[in-house]
Amino acid sequence: MLFKHKTTDGLKVNLALPGHFLIPLVAAMTFLAALMIAGAYAGQNLAHRWSNGAASIVILQIPPKNIINSPENSISDTSTIVSDNSNKLASLNQIIELLSSSKELASFHKLSDQEINQLLTPWLHEDINHFALSIPAIIELHLKQNTIISEKLKNSLLHINPDIIIEQSNFWSQRLNILANSLQSCAFLALFIVTFIAAIVIAIATRTGLIQCKQTIEILHNLGASDHYISVRFARRNAFLAFIGGWIGSIFSIPLLLFLTYLTLPFSSNPNWEIIYQGWFSFLTLLPFNLLILFLILPLCNYFIGWISTTLIVYYWLRHLT
Amino acid sequence: MIQLDNVNLYYEQSSPILSNVSLYIPQGSFCWLTGSSGVGKSTLLRMFHLEIKPNQGHIQLLDTDILKSRRSTLCNLKQRISIIYQDFKLIPNLTIYDNIALPLRLQNMDETIINRWTNRILQWMNLQNKTRLHPKTLSGGEQQRIAIARAIINRPDILLADEPTNALDEEQVLRLMDLFYDLNDLGCTIIIATHNDNLIRQFPAPKLKLEKGQIKVDDAIQT
């Protein structure tokens, strides 16, 4: 009944709900929503990256004991170097043994001389093997959860080597994480506001259409047409317009989003981001798939927002009509 | 069946239309509703058609308490109660055919049955050549016949008519009254509001006289 006789009940919903008003408005709302979703997605990625990255990393600097503690050893000779190396090795092995048995670590990695060299060359301007001072051993710890290193592990490490330096970067990373989460929350709030405004716009358009069709609706109601019948007639029209508006808004948002992705990709956790400079096709392969799916879903979301807000306003209006 | 229990019906700042009225009209009755102009006959019919609710009291229509029923139940009930309005209330952008077929379509009937019933009633109303025209292109009498056709096409249990013969000539009135009697014979309750005394004399039936907020029954209502 609802679909078969749509043109023979006298309800001219096409005229009562003209597309030239609703489609551009919904398209504009969808465009904004697409930007909000992209922003929320970027915020989520950033928060995830920070919480799983820098926040869970602890750097251990293990200086050789006897060099730092004994001023007389500061003059380098062959016997001291041998002693230094053996002490350093013993201390390091103990630490590695301790870290291997620790349950609070996801993993740890001792930086090789080559890696340290690569890291320090820009500052030292020479190879560390030719450097007069001995360079501390560096171990990168990855904690299992985004927590701080336990006092027990810290004390055990200090017991092996009291001069060990433990650098935990979670103070700033936690704050950055909070900032990223706040940005994400703001994006979701803005998305909610945009959705709410879209629903209000649809509701106002529906109310105008209902007033235009009031006489026919009253006659239909008096002939026994249910609230559901009338609401479906309006909801189908508005949902269709919202769907079309959704597609237009989504399509218009794509070029801007591609440009923003191009700008922000170097900050992402994607290790292959550098290939964006190799050409458009390479760039397109790096686009987040989830986000593309989301933009396909946007018009469908609009359809349901259109349907639900129209149905609610029609039911409300009909209850006040009779 | 129509039953009123201590019903009060009034508009603000006007004299009451019904004041503590109790009434029972059995199913299959045929009666006239009379009263002076402006006394509230049309309002009373609209109340029987569930368009307005009483301010106080209880109403039962076709064994349904209308004040306690859900909206969906009332919508279904409305499909069993038809009304012929004084101003016809036809949908201007629909053809005559679609206007008449509308109650059947709202009841989700099969289109072949709708076609058969609508064509038959159009023929009876002598409007078979004007099916594709719109109401505004027709005379008052033709519009009234369409309104009558729309009201009776779904064979209602209660038929309410507000001055249904106003725009009709004498021959059409006779044919219409025959039709009403035929419907009544099939068990339909018929209430016709009129101030045409000649018509009442010509077709004797119990009279409900609306006066000073009371309904006076002039003759025993026959089932």
Side-chain angles (χ1 to χ4, degrees):
Chain A
M1 177 180 74
L2 301 175
F3 308 109
K4 204 162 65 176
H5 309 302
K6 63 172 187 169
T7 55
T8 48
D9 62 6
L11 268 181
K12 290 196 163 181
V13 286
N14 293 11
L15 297 178
L17 301 168
H20 60 78
F21 166 69
L22 212 54
I23 289 175
L25 271 172
V26 174
M29 296 294 169
T30 310
F31 181 80
L32 290 174
L35 293 185
M36 303 304 164
I37 290 169
Y41 184 80
Q44 191 186 20
N45 264 1
L46 202 59
H48 186 256
R49 190 189 170 198
W50 281 340
S51 64
N52 289 327
S56 59
I57 293 175
V58 176
I59 303 291
L60 299 183
Q61 287 185 43
I62 308 151
K65 271 188 206 171
N66 52 346
I67 294 176
I68 295 169
N69 290 339
S70 319
E72 64 272 17
N73 284 341
S74 56
I75 301 162
S76 174
D77 58 26
T78 315
S79 63
T80 314
I81 290 168
V82 172
S83 162
D84 170 27
N85 283 340
S86 59
N87 277 336
K88 185 177 172 182
L89 208 62
S91 162
L92 202 59
N93 285 341
Q94 274 182 292
I95 288 169
I96 286 171
E97 208 171 303
L98 175 68
L99 295 177
S100 304
S101 62
S102 172
K103 286 179 181 174
E104 63 185 276
L105 299 182
S107 63
F108 68 90
H109 169 65
K110 182 190 166 296
L111 268 65
S112 64
D113 285 349
Q114 196 189 349
E115 284 172 314
I116 295 173
N117 203 15
Q118 206 173 9
L119 204 67
L120 296 180
T121 303
W123 284 274
L124 301 177
H125 302 291
E126 62 178 311
D127 195 304
I128 55 166
N129 294 323
H130 304 127
F131 201 58
L133 290 169
S134 65
I135 301 296
I138 294 173
I139 302 178
E140 192 180 275
L141 311 182
H142 291 265
L143 299 174
K144 266 183 186 166
Q145 284 149 357
N146 188 17
T147 53
I148 55 170
I149 190 167
S150 71
E151 282 300 312
K152 191 183 163 192
L153 182 61
K154 201 187 277 184
N155 290 337
S156 305
L157 289 166
L158 290 170
H159 180 72
I160 296 167
N161 188 339
D163 300 314
I164 199 164
I165 299 166
I166 302 169
E167 272 181 29
Q168 183 148 13
S169 54
N170 75 331
F171 176 80
W172 281 107
S173 65
Q174 274 178 356
R175 272 149 188 79
L176 288 171
N177 205 14
I178 290 167
L179 176 68
N181 284 332
S182 308
L183 288 173
Q184 197 187 354
S185 304
C186 286
F188 277 122
L189 183 67
L191 181 65
F192 173 76
I193 291 169
V194 166
T195 309
F196 182 73
I197 292 171
I200 293 286
V201 166
I202 291 169
I204 290 170
T206 308
R207 197 173 173 276
T208 311
L210 285 166
I211 290 167
Q212 216 172 312
C213 295
K214 189 182 174 194
Q215 199 186 350
T216 308
I217 290 170
E218 278 179 336
I219 294 170
L220 288 174
H221 223 259
N222 289 334
L223 291 173
S226 63
D227 294 354
H228 177 69
Y229 175 85
I230 293 164
S231 77
V232 166
R233 294 283 282 108
F234 278 84
R236 279 183 67 227
R237 170 71 181 167
N238 266 353
F240 171 72
L241 295 178
F243 184 73
I244 298 292
W247 269 115
I248 293 171
S250 283
I251 289 166
F252 271 85
S253 70
I254 287 172
L256 182 63
L257 288 168
L258 287 179
F259 179 66
L260 290 176
T261 310
Y262 182 78
L263 291 180
T264 55
L265 213 52
F267 300 100
S268 76
S269 53
N270 195 324
N272 304 320
W273 67 267
E274 281 173 328
I275 67 168
I276 62 172
Y277 302 116
Q278 289 172 10
W280 273 101
F281 182 75
S282 311
F283 168 57
L284 290 175
T285 60
L286 285 184
L287 289 176
F289 184 69
N290 293 347
L291 209 55
L292 289 177
I293 291 290
L294 207 62
F295 289 137
L296 293 179
I297 291 170
L298 259 180
L300 281 177
C301 292
N302 280 4
Y303 184 90
F304 287 111
I305 290 168
W307 187 286
I308 291 165
S309 52
T310 306
T311 303
L312 289 177
I313 197 75
V314 172
Y315 268 82
Y316 178 81
W317 189 82
L318 286 174
R319 262 151 216 268
H320 285 78
L321 180 72
T322 49
Chain B
M1 168 276 260
I2 299 171
Q3 186 174 348
L4 310 186
D5 289 318
N6 304 315
V7 169
N8 284 290
L9 178 66
Y10 50 83
Y11 289 125
E12 281 179 24
Q13 296 173 337
S14 71
S15 55
I17 296 157
L18 292 180
S19 179
N20 208 29
V21 168
S22 295
L23 177 74
Y24 178 73
I25 302 172
Q27 188 58 30
S29 304
F30 187 111
C31 50
W32 300 103
L33 177 64
T34 63
S36 53
S37 185
V39 77
K41 296 190 293 292
S42 301
T43 309
L44 186 62
L45 289 183
R46 285 180 62 208
M47 190 181 77
F48 289 157
H49 192 239
L50 311 171
E51 290 173 41
I52 48 174
K53 286 184 176 175
N55 302 88
Q56 278 179 319
H58 291 278
I59 300 184
Q60 280 212 335
L61 292 169
L62 301 169
D63 297 320
T64 307
D65 188 332
I66 65 160
L67 295 178
K68 287 180 185 169
S69 300
R70 298 172 64 184
R71 277 177 74 88
S72 55
T73 311
L74 295 181
C75 282
N76 291 333
L77 194 61
K78 271 187 180 181
Q79 294 181 351
R80 297 170 61 195
I81 305 170
S82 288
I83 187 165
I84 301 163
Y85 293 101
Q86 210 170 351
D87 56 352
F88 319 132
K89 289 201 191 301
L90 300 173
I91 297 177
N93 53 44
L94 286 186
T95 63
I96 290 163
Y97 180 93
D98 288 333
N99 261 294
I100 294 172
L102 199 50
L104 302 180
R105 285 180 171 153
L106 291 173
Q107 287 176 27
N108 199 21
M109 282 187 125
D110 188 77
E111 199 63 26
T112 50
I113 296 173
I114 293 172
N115 194 33
R116 197 165 62 234
W117 287 17
T118 309
N119 283 327
R120 194 190 294 173
I121 209 156
L122 277 165
Q123 210 160 9
W124 194 91
M125 293 283 177
N126 268 337
L127 292 166
Q128 68 270 30
N129 299 325
K130 299 185 175 181
T131 53
R132 296 291 145 207
L133 297 179
H134 287 80
K136 279 187 178 171
T137 61
L138 304 178
S139 69
E142 286 171 322
Q143 287 189 40
Q144 187 147 40
R145 277 185 278 160
I146 296 160
I148 293 164
R150 188 182 64 184
I152 62 170
I153 195 166
N154 59 344
R155 295 177 188 171
D157 292 322
I158 297 174
L159 177 66
L160 310 163
D162 194 0
E163 308 281 3
T165 57
N166 264 5
L168 303 181
D169 60 39
E170 203 163 325
E171 190 198 328
Q172 286 169 343
V173 170
L174 290 175
R175 289 190 72 207
L176 180 66
M177 289 309 296
D178 276 347
L179 179 69
F180 285 164
Y181 278 122
D182 285 347
L183 277 172
N184 185 234
D185 286 344
L186 292 170
C188 175
T189 303
I190 295 177
I191 301 173
I192 303 170
T194 186
H195 54 252
N196 185 342
D197 289 334
N198 288 336
L199 191 69
I200 296 170
R201 270 196 294 275
Q202 207 175 343
F203 300 95
K207 234 174 18 175
L208 305 171
K209 189 169 185 184
L210 187 58
E211 195 175 45
K212 292 178 183 171
Q214 296 297 317
I215 297 176
K216 291 176 184 168
V217 183
D218 279 7
D219 199 352
I221 293 173
Q222 290 157 8
T223 58

